[in-house]
Amino acid sequence: MSSAADNAKHVPVLLRRTLEVLAPALAEPGSVVVDATLGLGGHSEALLRTFPEARLIAVDRDPSALRLAGERLAPFGDRASLVHAVYDEIPEVLDRLGVERVQGVLFDLGVSSMQLDEADRGFAYAQDAPLDMRMDQTVGISAAEVLNTYSHGELARILKVYGEERFAGKIASVILREREKEPFTTSARLVELVRNAIPAATRRTGGNPAKRTFQALRIEVNGELAVLERAIPASLDALAVGGRIVVLSYHSLEDKLVKGFLAEGAASTAPPGLPVVPEEHQPRFKLLTRGAELPTEEEVAENRRAKPVRMRAAERIRERAGR
């Protein structure tokens, strides 16, 4: 089990760059920043230390993360509000706290270090563990239930779409055959099955062949893409003019969604050919990154989990028409 001391050693991904991008929005007294993915609280702690006039609202669906981060952030007293919620519930959280608009929002997507490091959560394919993968273990179905109950078509779909797995149909067939012999309960058996289902030539490159299957199961179990599809527009809506959003994504599906929403906000909605673009059709957001920013070699050396990260950021420059 993690401790508050262990958490303090954790290196948050792209921390310096995140603080740099958010800084212009959080310098003023009374500014509010939302950490949509609290996790172990590394980013939140840095935000509170770096911007002493800011108030933090942090959400996480994982009760264990909230408990550990709560210990870490206790010295900041009532400057930090920690809420048990999924990040598509941010509008309701802000409403309950009486906050209409915020100056900063941070998303650090994917699975947290704590969830990867605690073997009994079943997120990591490198160690044998119960196939759970729920970020909030009090609700929803586990990865084992998905493996043991989904049809061949459903399994193949999530492996192909969420895991971008070329051999989705073959792996799904093997899962159905093997679960007839014995239901799936732990990860080591699944890792071995996936390894054997993939051609030897493919296994020699790209790391552990089970990585894509585990990613697909995690996304399905936690409804991650559907939640993100609701959360990004809601968070953009909550930003005040001059407010900034930073999103750290770890796979192409997340990044593609984020890119689409930010690009839409930064585009004019006027019909082509107008000599003057009316105010209500002008872009509401300005992109702060050229494409997706990648981690530096130094950042990857400091924290190997930063390697796949892609950062996108934007600033609200105009209210939505009618607000």
Side-chain angles (χ1 to χ4, degrees):
M1 178 63 71
S2 302
S3 68
D6 293 334
N7 297 348
K9 298 173 192 170
H10 166 64
V11 182
V13 172
L14 291 188
L15 179 60
R16 287 185 295 274
R17 183 67 181 128
T18 296
L19 296 173
E20 182 180 287
V21 173
L22 289 172
L26 299 181
E28 293 298 314
S31 59
V32 178
V33 58
V34 175
D35 186 343
T37 47
L38 174 63
L40 292 173
H43 281 113
S44 280
E45 181 181 34
L47 287 165
L48 288 163
R49 288 196 190 285
T50 307
F51 308 108
E53 303 286 350
R55 173 188 176 190
L56 171 85
I57 297 171
V59 305
D60 206 292
R61 64 168 75 181
D62 188 335
S64 299
L66 285 163
R67 178 179 57 79
L68 290 165
E71 294 172 20
R72 183 175 190 164
L73 302 180
F76 298 97
D78 60 8
R79 284 183 60 209
S81 302
L82 276 54
V83 183
H84 182 217
V86 186
Y87 46 68
D88 64 342
E89 298 171 316
I90 285 171
E92 291 82 359
V93 170
L94 295 178
D95 190 52
R96 286 204 304 273
L97 294 173
V99 175
E100 189 176 344
R101 307 305 283 274
V102 302
Q103 284 65 47
V105 180
L106 169 64
F107 284 87
D108 183 12
L109 300 171
V111 63
S112 78
S113 294
M114 179 199 71
Q115 290 160 341
L116 283 170
D117 291 340
E118 292 191 350
D120 62 356
R121 303 297 292 271
F123 287 101
Y125 44 81
Q127 47 196 341
D128 193 22
L131 279 164
D132 193 317
M133 298 194 197
R134 288 172 298 167
M135 291 177 180
D136 181 350
Q137 292 182 301
T138 66
V139 295
I141 66 167
S142 69
E145 289 173 88
V146 170
L147 289 167
N148 293 325
T149 63
Y150 276 30
S151 69
H152 180 276
E154 289 171 321
L155 285 171
R157 179 189 61 81
I158 67 167
L159 293 174
K160 183 177 181 179
V161 176
Y162 297 160
E164 300 173 286
E165 174 56 72
R166 285 165 55 203
F167 303 100
K170 187 173 183 185
I171 293 170
S173 295
V174 176
I175 288 170
L176 259 68
R177 187 184 72 220
E178 290 298 314
R179 78 186 189 192
E180 288 300 314
K181 301 174 187 174
E182 185 184 345
F184 285 92
T185 56
T186 60
S187 55
R189 181 178 169 216
L190 178 62
V191 170
E192 188 63 23
L193 180 154
V194 172
R195 186 188 302 277
N196 293 336
I198 289 174
T202 306
R203 292 203 301 265
R204 285 194 282 271
T205 58
N208 194 314
K211 179 180 180 179
R212 293 180 295 275
T213 294
F214 272 62
Q215 174 181 298
L217 287 169
R218 192 198 81 217
I219 290 171
E220 173 69 11
V221 165
N222 296 291
E224 287 176 43
L225 292 177
V227 170
L228 186 62
E229 206 161 357
R230 295 187 293 270
I232 297 295
S235 297
L236 291 172
D237 245 15
L239 281 177
V241 172
R244 293 182 165 207
I245 184 171
V246 172
V247 186
L248 307 177
S249 305
Y250 293 83
H251 58 75
S252 61
L253 299 169
E254 291 173 340
D255 186 51
K256 186 178 178 183
L257 261 180
V258 174
K259 176 184 178 182
F261 284 121
L262 297 190
E264 182 185 352
S268 165
T269 58
L274 286 186
V276 178
V277 176
E279 170 97 10
E280 65 269 20
H281 289 297
Q282 289 177 8
R284 292 172 291 119
F285 291 88
K286 176 177 72 175
L287 301 181
L288 300 173
T289 50
R290 293 187 64 183
E293 279 190 20
L294 309 181
T296 63
E297 289 180 11
E298 291 77 17
E299 283 161 334
V300 174
E302 191 179 36
N303 181 3
R304 62 184 173 80
R305 287 177 182 159
K307 189 174 182 181
V309 75
R310 303 289 182 269
M311 172 194 271
R312 294 186 188 269
E315 176 183 351
R316 180 182 276 279
I317 55 174
R318 191 177 65 77
E319 283 289 7
R320 185 190 290 277
R323 289 196 73 154

